[in-house]
Amino acid sequence: MDLTSGELCAKKLDMQRSWKDIKRLTEDEAREEIEKLGEEINYHNYRYYVLQSPVISDAEYDRLFRRLQALEEHFPQFVTPDSPTQRIGARPLEEFGVVKHTVPMLSLNNAFTEEEVVEFDRRVKKLLGTTGDIEYAVEPKIDGLAVELIYVDGLFVQGATRGDGYTGEDVTQNLKTIRSIPLKLLSRKKLPIPRKLEVRGEVYLAIEGFKRLNKEREKRGEPLFANPRNAASGSLRQLDPRITASRPLDIFCYGVGVVEGIEFRTHMETLAYLKDVGLKVNPMVELVKGIEGAMEYHRRLEHMREELDYEVDGIVIKVNSLSQQETLGVLSRSPRWALAYKFAPKEETTIVKDIKVGVGRTGALTPVAVLEPVEVGGVTIERATLHNQDEIDRKDVRIGDAVVVARAGDVIPEVVSVIKDRRTGGEKRFTMPDRCPECGSRVERDGAIHYCTGGLTCPAQLKETIRHFAGKRAMDIEGLGGKHIDQFVNAGLIKDVADTYYLKKEDILKLERWAEKSAENLLRAIEKSKEPPELSRLIFALGIKGVGEHLADVLAERFSSLENLMNATYDELTEIPEIGPETARNIVSFFGEEHNRRVIEKLRKVGVRFPQKRPEAGRLKDRVFVFTGTLEGLTRDEAKELVEREGGRCSDSVSKRVDFVVVGKEPGSKYEKAKKLGMKMLSEKEFKKMLGLE
Ligand code: IVH
């Protein structure tokens, strides 16, 4: 078998590595290790980001990466442009350079109906002088932005946007931050690496990443991206590559420009080659015979569209044979050998009939456009979110406006833009009410968001809180859905989450649409939920502002019991790297509130179990410690051993990669440096507390 050195290295990984102290390495040893590590890390990037099948743990990967960084810091003369450390850290640019594409980057003709596709096939056959079935490669049309990657002797040297097809912008630094783009092509024995290889592909942002990005922007009061394509384009065209690096961009490669030294016969062969040298190619590319096959593929993909974690706006049909492609040629700016067969658009035009305000669990008011019903991408929508007042002002949405609405993946439909040309003058501006539409309490504004101040006296907040509490990932009360919650709250049976456990059959039966059996089923499900399998579920269920599933896990891990968490101080909470000052304040104030303490007590009384979490080994997973000064109750070695036993690491020097500096008696220069860098310091006592020793 034909293994790359990366693969060979991966095989050796089971062996415990013992690294020599960097200061004692000779130059030759350092160069060799830097080279090997670089190759090895690049290979793991490929396994993780391209094949999506890693062969080592994240922690092991981090260890390799840190070792390489440390080596390169000491031996900067051996840093190569394809080193994995070179993906990040480039300086912001003043402006992008211009890149001329050697072979123009063409666009595609679009088809929207089967007739147009049949017509395309007829023309292809006519021009090729054949009546037989044509072999077509069919692939998803990714909704992102086209780029070109230039490899010289296997090294990634330049990357550009498509621009106008003839010249684009030089976004090399930004493309380097995308982990699925190899900085060096994989070399396998049988595969020649061409002197020059121009690769074309589509950079995109996965739907999950898009949603996360918009959520963060909403929190910071920044304008939101309308769809993943705009977000990808905005992210790639950043002058500061650090911003690009923070966005989870990805790529699918679908073609080539200039290739020197290799001849391909078909499109499929080209893609197979790209895949073999480590580039990411969409796994759903298929070869079909005849245009019927392409149409069947279109139907299949349109069905799967919602399941994909990236946006697809159609399929691309390409004549597979490159010699046939050549015969067919190009007309104006589109090839005659390819066609984009689009899906039903996910954007439509409709009218805003009204703007209503919804109240969420935290009291946040969300303006929602009530629309003239319209079908978007196969689904009828009647409402679309307007996010907040700033977004309404930015887009200048008014009641009566004609607007463009869009759906992206399973994201809630939203109003993208207003068609101002269609205004008649009768449109009405909207402003947030100063009283909550559900309970009449005062509304306060915090940043971009307006909040109802009614707390749980507001029925809308109460209903959402209970919905969250009963949810699958919280207390998981099967059958306690939205409508029932509305009924129970409206009837005054539930006034806080704990009341759920005090529901009585006779009270439920007094309500409409309930029968003996359904009431019993619900009560059984409620009873069952009294035993949450993990503490983190209960913490999450409480619905503390800013505490999602991940933080609930972190808190359960750190505090082991609800009791401990209830007594946690602001300082203890902010010591946890994942928790910022705002969330820490939210947690402290949540448990400080009399009402919440009463609800927790009610839960305990009614028999809800509050699981305890045993502190596990590994609570310091991946945390890096530095010690300075003399510790009193421990030797330095003992302290290091304790850290390592809990999954942490120790370093001899202070750098940005260090999480905690433990300060003993008479600390030395490391203390001064750490102070300058504003690093997190721990006293011996705090350190022991972190380890559960005090
Ligand atoms: S092939 C000459 N394949 O669609 C053929 N394009 O309208 C050039 N696109 O600029 C493109 N997925 O940004 C091709 N699988 C795919 C594609 C794809 C998305 C985009 C690309 C191009 C645009 C053409």
Side-chain angles (χ1 to χ4, degrees):
M1 205 171 98
D2 200 16
L3 287 179
T4 65
S5 57
E7 283 164 325
L8 286 170
C9 290
K11 285 195 141 205
K12 282 190 260 161
L13 260 169
D14 285 347
M15 296 185 327
Q16 197 53 46
R17 228 178 254 272
S18 60
W19 277 324
K20 201 166 165 185
D21 188 340
I22 290 176
K23 281 179 228 125
R24 276 192 262 138
L25 287 176
T26 66
E27 285 216 337
D28 278 350
E29 283 173 331
R31 185 173 358 91
E32 194 181 325
E33 195 181 333
I34 286 177
E35 218 170 82
K36 276 213 183 109
L37 265 177
E39 233 177 276
E40 192 173 338
I41 294 169
N42 277 334
Y43 175 71
H44 291 303
N45 265 335
Y46 168 70
R47 297 286 322 196
Y48 189 95
Y49 291 102
V50 179
L51 301 184
Q52 273 140 10
S53 104
V55 282
I56 57 170
S57 66
D58 291 0
E60 181 65 13
Y61 178 89
D62 289 346
R63 236 160 63 82
L64 298 176
F65 198 88
R66 267 194 282 268
R67 170 75 178 177
L68 179 62
Q69 276 181 322
L71 282 164
E72 289 183 344
E73 216 166 277
H74 274 78
F75 298 95
Q77 68 272 39
F78 300 137
V79 180
T80 56
D82 63 320
S83 164
T85 59
Q86 299 306 297
R87 287 192 184 271
I88 32 175
R91 285 181 197 295
L93 296 171
E94 296 277 323
E95 58 176 354
F96 293 118
V98 171
V99 175
K100 200 166 168 350
H101 303 301
T102 333
V103 179
M105 293 180 74
L106 302 171
S107 57
L108 293 168
N109 281 325
N110 287 328
F112 296 93
T113 62
E114 292 209 345
E115 290 75 53
E116 288 168 306
V117 178
V118 170
E119 176 54 28
F120 161 78
D121 180 56
R122 210 182 47 76
R123 203 171 48 239
V124 166
K125 284 180 182 158
K126 189 169 164 220
L127 289 166
L128 293 177
T130 167
T131 51
D133 277 347
I134 305 290
E135 207 174 53
Y136 290 114
V138 285
E139 48 197 76
K141 184 169 187 299
I142 314 296
D143 202 7
L145 75 155
V147 296
E148 177 163 73
L149 314 171
I150 303 177
Y151 288 86
V152 173
D153 292 329
L155 280 189
F156 176 58
V157 294
Q158 192 175 51
T161 59
R162 173 174 180 269
D164 62 3
Y166 299 96
T167 47
E169 285 170 321
D170 183 340
V171 285
T172 312
Q173 289 188 355
N174 292 347
L175 286 167
K176 275 188 168 184
T177 68
I178 303 177
R179 309 290 169 127
S180 47
I181 295 180
L183 299 179
K184 187 180 178 185
L185 299 178
L186 290 180
S187 57
R188 289 183 158 95
K189 266 191 219 136
K190 286 188 211 97
L191 287 175
I193 293 294
R195 160 93 191 104
K196 186 166 186 195
L197 175 67
E198 292 179 357
V199 182
R200 270 103 192 255
E202 194 84 348
V203 167
Y204 68 93
L205 192 66
I207 291 166
E208 204 47 54
F210 163 70
K211 283 200 253 180
R212 206 170 53 224
L213 184 59
N214 259 359
K215 222 181 237 169
E216 285 163 12
R217 291 174 77 84
E218 184 160 12
K219 251 196 212 157
R220 291 196 297 263
E222 293 170 3
L224 306 181
F225 288 116
N227 53 47
R229 172 170 33 88
N230 289 4
S233 164
S235 302
L236 191 65
R237 299 179 63 254
Q238 287 286 337
L239 290 168
D240 185 348
R242 280 170 304 187
I243 299 181
T244 313
S246 72
R247 311 268 170 89
L249 293 171
D250 210 331
I251 192 169
F252 280 123
C253 299
Y254 53 63
V256 292
V258 168
V259 185
E260 286 174 15
I262 306 189
E263 293 264 328
F264 299 118
R265 284 177 303 117
T266 64
H267 178 66
M268 290 303 265
E269 208 178 281
T270 312
L271 294 187
Y273 175 83
L274 296 182
K275 186 163 171 253
D276 278 344
V277 293
L279 290 150
K280 190 162 170 181
V281 173
N282 194 301
M284 282 188 300
V285 181
E286 283 181 26
L287 191 64
V288 296
K289 236 179 166 2
I291 203 65
E292 258 312 314
M295 292 199 275
E296 189 273 325
Y297 180 81
H298 182 267
R299 283 190 288 271
R300 202 157 18 104
L301 200 69
E302 190 160 25
H303 264 112
M304 285 176 61
R305 190 181 184 188
E306 301 292 318
E307 289 154 37
L308 298 176
D309 66 353
Y310 48 85
E311 284 274 296
V312 172
D313 58 349
I315 68 165
V316 184
I317 306 172
K318 298 174 183 172
V319 170
N320 189 36
S321 150
L322 299 189
S323 64
Q324 288 186 337
Q325 284 191 6
E326 211 175 313
T327 310
L328 290 160
V330 172
L331 186 66
S332 84
R333 299 186 56 188
S334 318
R336 272 190 291 220
W337 46 263
L339 182 73
Y341 182 12
K342 304 290 274 289
F343 293 145
K346 284 197 164 186
E347 273 193 1
E348 272 305 339
T349 308
T350 186
I351 305 288
V352 176
K353 292 199 296 191
D354 197 1
I355 296 178
K356 291 233 160 88
V357 175
V359 184
R361 177 166 61 83
T362 58
L365 304 188
T366 307
V368 177
V370 181
L371 307 169
E372 195 65 55
V374 63
E375 202 181 291
V376 184
V379 178
T380 303
I381 63 168
E382 297 180 47
R383 277 161 193 270
T385 178
L386 290 160
H387 297 290
N388 55 54
Q389 182 75 52
D390 284 354
E391 283 292 300
I392 294 182
D393 294 345
R394 195 174 65 81
K395 294 174 185 158
D396 189 17
V397 184
R398 302 180 193 175
I399 299 167
D401 264 337
V403 290
V404 175
V405 288
R407 284 196 319 128
D410 56 353
V411 182
I412 308 165
E414 65 164 8
V415 172
V416 179
S417 59
V418 175
I419 308 172
K420 299 214 172 115
D421 288 351
R422 285 178 49 184
R423 281 208 172 135
T424 59
E427 294 77 14
K428 276 205 295 269
R429 284 181 196 273
F430 168 86
T431 39
M432 280 293 204
D434 48 16
R435 294 272 159 188
C436 170
E438 298 284 343
C439 71
S441 300
R442 223 171 6 85
V443 166
E444 269 177 12
R445 186 172 182 157
D446 183 5
I449 313 287
H450 287 76
Y451 288 95
C452 156
T453 53
L456 293 181
T457 61
C458 171
Q461 284 188 56
L462 177 58
K463 286 173 189 171
E464 288 303 319
T465 303
I466 296 161
R467 226 162 269 167
H468 172 84
F469 181 81
K472 189 129 200 67
R473 311 173 101 124
M475 299 304 276
D476 191 16
I477 308 181
E478 216 183 307
L480 187 57
K483 279 197 198 115
H484 301 152
I485 293 171
D486 289 350
Q487 254 187 327
F488 296 146
V489 171
N490 295 344
L493 293 179
I494 296 186
K495 295 197 183 66
D496 60 47
V497 295
D499 284 343
T500 314
Y501 293 98
Y502 292 83
L503 281 173
K504 290 197 193 65
K505 192 159 99 180
E506 57 270 28
D507 290 333
I508 299 177
L509 287 175
K510 281 185 203 141
L511 302 174
E512 261 178 49
R513 292 186 306 277
W514 284 95
E516 203 57 43
K517 190 141 191 227
S518 52
E520 276 169 15
N521 284 346
L522 177 66
L523 289 174
R524 204 169 311 118
I526 291 174
E527 194 58 31
K528 195 170 141 216
S529 78
K530 282 184 176 171
E531 301 261 335
E534 282 150 17
L535 174 61
S536 56
R537 293 274 204 102
L538 183 69
I539 296 175
F540 174 62
L542 293 175
I544 307 164
K545 204 165 152 189
V547 179
E549 278 177 276
H550 173 65
L551 277 196
D553 274 344
V554 171
L555 290 169
E557 190 73 39
R558 168 69 180 79
F559 292 100
S560 321
S561 72
L562 191 64
E563 189 106 64
N564 290 347
L565 176 61
M566 288 172 76
N567 294 326
T569 63
Y570 174 83
D571 288 344
E572 281 170 333
L573 288 163
T574 44
E575 240 169 47
I576 303 171
E578 285 96 335
I579 293 182
E582 200 181 323
T583 308
R585 261 193 302 275
N586 288 339
I587 297 170
V588 173
S589 92
F590 181 92
F591 290 115
E593 218 169 276
E594 183 52 37
H595 167 80
N596 292 331
R597 287 192 163 260
R598 230 179 17 242
V599 169
I600 290 169
E601 198 39 47
K602 256 169 91 176
L603 288 172
R604 194 193 303 275
K605 272 215 181 106
V606 81
V608 172
R609 207 173 59 87
F610 295 0
Q612 300 271 325
K613 176 126 197 139
R614 292 255 132 260
E616 281 170 19
R619 71 179 99 180
L620 301 182
K621 189 166 174 290
D622 295 337
R623 301 272 170 263
V624 181
F625 286 74
V626 160
F627 294 91
T628 175
T630 317
L631 299 179
E632 298 198 314
L634 293 166
T635 67
R636 195 60 84 76
D637 282 344
E638 280 167 347
K640 284 186 175 171
E641 201 186 313
L642 284 169
V643 167
E644 278 160 15
R645 204 191 295 161
E646 294 292 346
R649 282 189 297 273
C650 298
S651 165
D652 288 331
S653 56
V654 172
S655 73
K656 275 184 287 186
R657 288 179 288 282
V658 170
D659 298 296
F660 298 105
V661 179
V662 182
V663 185
K665 277 242 164 87
E666 293 172 29
S669 63
K670 281 186 261 182
Y671 173 65
E672 295 302 326
K673 184 167 175 197
K675 216 162 52 174
K676 243 190 240 154
L677 289 173
M679 304 191 61
K680 182 96 200 128
M681 311 264 196
L682 298 178
S683 66
E684 181 172 342
K685 200 170 161 145
E686 285 167 325
F687 170 67
K688 285 184 177 159
K689 209 166 161 193
M690 197 180 244
L691 284 160
L693 299 175
E694 289 227 326

